[in-house]
Amino acid sequence: MGGPATPPDGRRPRWSKDADKYLLPHEKPPVVATRRHWAVLAVPVAKGGPLLAVGLWLMVLDPANRLPTTAGFLVLVGALVYLALRAGEWWMRHFIVTNRRVLLTSGIIVRTVALLPLRRITDLTYKETLFGQLLGYGTFRFESAGQQQALSEITFLPRADVLYRDVSDLLFGGNGADKGDDEGEAEPSPRRPRRSPQPSPDRRGREATADGGRDTQPIPPVPPRRPGSP
């Protein structure tokens, strides 16, 4: 998922709302904008599925008995809430890469934005497991200068091979990341070579006399010796 914020059909993708809120004007449109692969929901489904089955079984076990029916209903509602929260978290989390920063937005009620400037990334590792090769997802591991970052590892990225080439081109390719600081301001121009200092007026005055000549005169020639003189 990526591209312009307003596609031809007029429907804006969900990530474009995060782009409008958290990106700077010169960072739009982002180079990469996607949510994680749907395979990330496999673990929540594996945990919530048995609870759903247990809840339904308790509800139909003895409909006349209120105790197992009520317990089954509570288990069923709890499992549905758990699955809904995990699905909502997957839907609202976006991985965004611009020409300056890497961002990960998450949260349903309380939104959280973790960012990492591109110029601080020193290395990028791409890992693809066997299931990742079959289903089409991978893991990015960022290494940056300084202390541990919140965006050190991003899992379950779809089309990770394509995203890896795009991000690598930003970091190490010919295009490169835009120059600038972490806030988006342009960096100062490179230092110009130092010019040789001009002579001071006092020095020039010592080198030249008032009539335009120099204060040192040539040494007069020595007169020739007379014969027989000591």
Side-chain angles (χ1 to χ4, degrees):
M1 179 172 56
T6 305
D9 58 2
R11 297 181 57 186
R12 300 181 61 191
R14 178 61 186 81
W15 63 260
S16 65
K17 298 181 180 180
D18 289 340
D20 292 340
K21 185 181 297 185
Y22 305 120
L23 297 188
L24 301 174
H26 52 271
E27 291 182 301
K28 301 176 184 178
V31 178
V32 174
T34 182
R35 64 172 53 94
R36 295 198 295 174
H37 195 272
W38 56 264
V40 73
L41 298 175
V43 174
V45 170
K47 293 180 179 180
L51 293 178
L52 287 176
V54 170
L56 290 175
W57 177 74
L58 290 176
M59 291 183 65
V60 301
L61 178 62
D62 188 4
N65 193 341
R66 297 181 56 183
L67 182 59
T69 303
T70 303
F73 176 77
L74 294 177
V75 172
L76 182 64
V77 171
L80 290 176
V81 171
Y82 170 78
L83 292 175
L85 288 177
R86 292 297 176 264
E89 183 181 0
W90 166 76
W91 182 261
M92 297 293 291
R93 176 171 294 190
H94 295 99
F95 176 68
I96 300 175
V97 181
T98 71
N99 56 349
R100 293 188 184 275
R101 299 180 295 174
V102 177
L103 299 96
L104 182 65
T105 64
S106 59
I108 301 176
I109 300 176
V110 179
R111 299 290 288 163
T112 302
V113 182
L115 65 90
L116 175 64
L118 283 184
R119 68 176 191 169
R120 292 189 179 180
I121 298 176
T122 58
D123 195 10
L124 172 62
T125 303
Y126 166 49
K127 182 175 67 175
E128 192 177 35
T129 62
L130 177 60
F131 288 103
Q133 297 178 28
L134 296 175
L135 299 179
Y137 66 86
T139 299
F140 281 5
R141 184 187 299 273
F142 296 102
E143 295 183 11
S144 60
Q147 59 185 2
Q148 187 75 9
Q149 300 289 336
L151 283 175
S152 59
E153 186 175 274
I154 310 296
T155 58
F156 292 97
L157 287 176
R159 299 182 299 109
D161 53 345
V162 178
L163 299 185
Y164 177 77
R165 290 194 294 268
D166 294 340
V167 177
S168 297
D169 185 59
L170 278 177
L171 294 175
F172 317 111
N175 293 333
D178 284 0
K179 303 298 182 182
D181 56 15
D182 299 346
E183 287 75 25
E185 300 295 337
E187 288 184 341
S189 58
R191 209 175 197 181
R192 294 183 178 179
R194 183 180 296 177
R195 297 180 179 178
S196 58
Q198 298 293 334
S200 61
D202 294 341
R203 184 177 178 182
R204 290 198 300 267
R206 290 195 302 268
E207 292 179 354
T209 57
D211 56 356
R214 295 183 177 276
D215 58 354
T216 58
Q217 299 297 330
I219 301 175
V222 179
R225 284 185 173 187
R226 294 180 180 180
S229 60

